[in-house]
Amino acid sequence: MTTPPHLSSAAPFGAASGLACRECGATYDLGPGNACELCFGPLEIAYDEVAARFGEPRVDRGRAADHVGATPALLPVAPVVDLQVGISRLHRADNLARELGMKTLWVKDESGNPTHSFKDRVVAVAASAARTLGFEVLSCASTGNLANAVAAAAARAGMRSVGLHPR
């Protein structure tokens, strides 16, 4: 898969090295693709493992990171759109930990995100990738929460949004 000429394949994508098909393993250059041209399987971000490990952040359990961009080595794209996402609390879940045979378990409370949904996280990264790739419109197919997150992110980033909703 080749990146369209108006999109820069040299964009700052950190440790992300390409796209890989989850089904057949085919690899592609970084770009806006989401489905394999060979088997139509979903494409996932592939990482340069050495680069991803270099400078790996230490996570302080019990404290939430200030925002989703606080751990850039773990993101597939540099956060260029500040959506104030990820400022959410961690709660100890001792009873669930005990039930699962774990010593300690922390549960993330996503209600502190802009649309009160975990979908805000993936949309924050997608909005930064879209901006980096030169897109001006964010879009999605959704029955609810994803469309809300896309609309809120687009508004905050000064972009247009389109939500496709099934009947």
Side-chain angles (χ1 to χ4, degrees):
M1 174 179 181
T2 55
T3 302
H6 68 285
L7 302 177
S8 170
S9 60
F13 286 99
S17 60
L19 300 173
C21 177
R22 189 184 318 159
E23 300 298 323
C24 73
T27 59
Y28 300 88
D29 291 338
L30 283 169
N34 66 348
C36 178
E37 294 175 1
L38 302 175
C39 73
F40 301 106
L43 297 181
E44 296 181 331
I45 305 280
Y47 291 92
D48 175 338
E49 291 184 35
V50 173
R53 288 186 185 145
F54 180 73
E56 186 174 305
R58 294 187 56 82
V59 177
D60 182 2
R61 292 178 290 171
R63 268 191 75 225
D66 291 305
H67 51 83
V68 83
T71 54
L74 302 176
L75 297 176
V77 63
V80 296
V81 177
D82 181 11
L83 300 176
Q84 299 295 309
V85 171
I87 306 171
S88 48
R89 299 175 304 207
L90 292 172
H91 299 280
R92 275 186 78 128
D94 293 332
N95 292 338
L96 182 56
R98 192 170 28 262
E99 187 71 27
L100 296 172
M102 302 169 72
K103 288 199 284 189
T104 308
L105 178 65
W106 295 88
V107 178
K108 194 82 167 138
D109 176 3
E110 298 287 9
S111 67
N113 284 326
T115 68
H116 311 290
S117 170
F118 70 96
K119 305 275 185 170
D120 289 326
R121 288 180 181 277
V122 71
V123 172
V125 174
S128 287
R131 175 65 53 83
T132 299
L133 291 168
F135 288 100
E136 297 175 6
V137 178
L138 294 180
S139 66
C140 70
S142 172
T143 57
N145 288 346
L146 180 60
N148 291 339
V150 166
R156 177 117 186 181
M159 301 171 79
R160 292 180 33 230
S161 67
V162 174
L164 304 173
H165 306 273
R167 285 183 170 206

